[in-house]
Structure formats: structure tokens, C-alpha cells
């Protein structure tokens, strides 16, 4: 993991980002707005999720796949 220190008003830029079709997207700019707050400027096609939300989505997908397998096995 890369950890950077940014002072209020400083930012970092993520470039060379591509979408699913291989098209280059505009750079993503992450700004340190103030204590414990950041701002992210990115193309609307870039999905930005908090890690706890992403974890919940992964758990839900895993539960759904097990549920589907379980109910399919019972029906057969």
C-alpha cells in the first residue's frame, strides 16, 4: 500500500486509467480538502466505492452464488 501525506489544498493525480473497452480516461485528481476529508475528481465512468461498501458487495455476491447453487442442487 502506498501512503502519502497531503497537506490541505494539495492533491495527487492518477493518470493512464482505462475503461473496460481500453479507452484512456481523463486523469483522476484526489484533493485533500481539510482534516479527514478528500475530494475525488474523476470521469463519471470510474466507480469509486468506500472499502466497507465494496466488501459488502463482495459478501452479498458470494452469498447469492451459494444460495443459487444450494437452491439449484435441491431442485435437481
Amino acid at each position: 500500500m502506498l501512503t502519502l501525506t497531503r497537506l490541505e489544498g494539495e492533491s495527487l493525480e492518477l493518470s493512464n486509467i482505462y475503461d473496460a473497452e481500453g479507452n484512456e480516461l481523463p486523469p483522476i485528481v484526489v484533493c485533500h480538502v481539510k482534516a479527514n476529508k478528500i475530494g475525488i475528481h474523476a470521469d463519471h465512468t470510474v466507480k469509486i466505492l468506500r472499502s466497507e461498501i465494496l466488501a459488502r458487495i463482495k459478501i452479498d455476491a458470494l452469498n447469492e452464488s451459494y444460495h443459487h447453487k444450494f437452491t439449484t442442487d435441491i431442485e435437481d
Side-chain angles (χ1 to χ4, degrees):
M1 173 174 60
L2 174 64
T3 303
L4 299 172
T5 301
R6 301 281 75 205
L7 299 176
E8 188 172 320
E10 293 182 335
S11 64
L12 62 99
E13 183 175 309
L14 307 172
S15 59
N16 209 20
I17 308 286
Y18 296 86
D19 65 14
E21 287 80 41
N23 302 310
E24 189 170 8
L25 296 174
I28 297 171
V29 179
V30 181
C31 305
H32 181 223
V33 179
K34 58 183 178 179
N36 298 322
K37 293 190 184 269
I38 61 169
I40 301 171
H41 300 281
D43 187 82
H44 72 279
T45 60
V46 175
K47 186 183 289 189
I48 301 169
L49 298 172
R50 296 185 312 231
S51 58
E52 62 272 17
I53 301 297
L54 184 57
R56 182 78 247 166
I57 290 169
K58 289 179 180 179
I59 290 168
D60 290 347
L62 187 58
N63 286 338
E64 181 62 32
S65 69
Y66 282 132
H67 176 72
H68 178 71
K69 180 180 179 351
F70 182 72
T71 55
T72 303
D73 290 346
I74 290 175
E75 292 171 358
D76 290 340

